Amino acid sequence: SQKIEQNSEALNIQEGKTATLTCNYTNYSPAYLQWYRQDPGRGPVFLLLIRENEKEKRKERLKVTFDTTLKQSLFHITASQPADSATYLCALERNYGQNFVFGPGTRLSVLP
Amino acid sequence: DVKVTQSSRYLVKRTGEKVFLECVQDMDHENMFWYRQDPGLGLRLIYFSYDVKMKEKGDIPEGYSVSREKKERFSLILESASTNQTSMYLCASTPALAGDNEQFFGPGTRLTVL
């Protein structure tokens, strides 16, 4: 059956460290994978998109990798700050780009 | 500033009522989506539309219908609300070829069915 998982429901890290979040999927073949940030009571906000032929994408302190063999994406936040505390969602493209399936999310807390 | 707006932030309805959730986007996007979000289950796709008057079922369409009479507006309808439809409802839009584009989300409607 098809499944998309994110490494843990909650992750606590110390300010200044690198946060690494994982997205694993089974029985999907996405051409694109996206990461979103969601704050409590608000809609998700797009962060990064990575294509299947791209190994890595960076944007400021954010880095995403995409390994289609392992069926895994890693999302890194370097030099993390308390303001980075939020829930992070991965989303896979499916049905030839028609729509998306989301992972359950990881709630990140960056402790000062 | 691009915007997706939803008609209500909070809504309380009674079991059996007909409920309309409205979503409007001002970006001239072709694709629009309705999701519900529940703790531990993430966002689940209810319906989506890739053009005016077109609609496609998502993963959990049972108990819902949609309407897209104009490009900028996508409505979600609960014909007879039930308590298990208590949830956060999120609308989103993208340009054509959704998979290669970011989704713009509205602020969400928290619906409680009593």
Side-chain angles (χ1 to χ4, degrees), chain A residues 4-5 8 14 16 21 25 29-30 39 41-42 44 46 60 62 67 76 78 90 104 109:
Chain A
I4 175 169
E5 296 174 312
S8 55
Q14 213 60 41
L21 284 63
Y25 57 92
S29 298
D39 293 291
R42 310 189 77 155
F46 173 81
E60 297 170 356
L62 309 180
D67 189 326
H76 307 273
T78 58
C90 65
S109 296

Side-chain angles (χ1 to χ4, degrees), chain B residues 23-98:
Chain B
C23 175
V24 177
Q25 50 96 2
D26 65 0
M27 297 165 280
D28 200 35
H29 284 170
E30 283 77 10
N31 303 298
M32 296 187 75
F33 307 83
W34 274 108
Y35 297 91
R36 63 177 284 177
Q37 186 173 31
D38 301 286
L41 296 176
L43 275 82
R44 291 180 291 166
L45 182 64
I46 305 171
Y47 268 97
F48 65 101
S49 168
Y50 53 87
D51 202 352
V52 175
K53 296 195 186 294
M54 306 303 289
K55 59 185 179 185
E56 295 283 343
K57 292 180 180 178
D59 300 306
I60 50 164
E62 297 78 17
Y64 303 94
S65 62
V66 290
S67 171
R68 192 163 180 204
E69 296 297 317
K70 293 185 177 182
K71 190 176 185 180
E72 68 271 17
R73 188 180 297 269
F74 192 34
S75 302
L76 180 69
I77 303 153
L78 288 66
E79 295 288 342
S80 178
S82 63
T83 55
N84 63 12
Q85 292 178 311
T86 291
S87 187
M88 169 72 96
Y89 289 88
L90 288 156
C91 173
S93 72
T94 71
L97 192 56

Side-chain angles (χ1 to χ4, degrees), chain A residues 26-39:
Chain A
T26 309
N27 291 326
Y28 287 106
S29 298
Y32 314 98
L33 188 148
Q34 302 179 345
W35 283 88
Y36 289 80
R37 170 187 172 134
Q38 187 175 24
D39 293 291

Side-chain angles (χ1 to χ4, degrees), chain A residues 8 16 23 29-30 53 88-92:
Chain A
S8 55
C23 177
S29 298
N53 61 350
Y88 292 86
L89 306 166
C90 65
L92 311 181

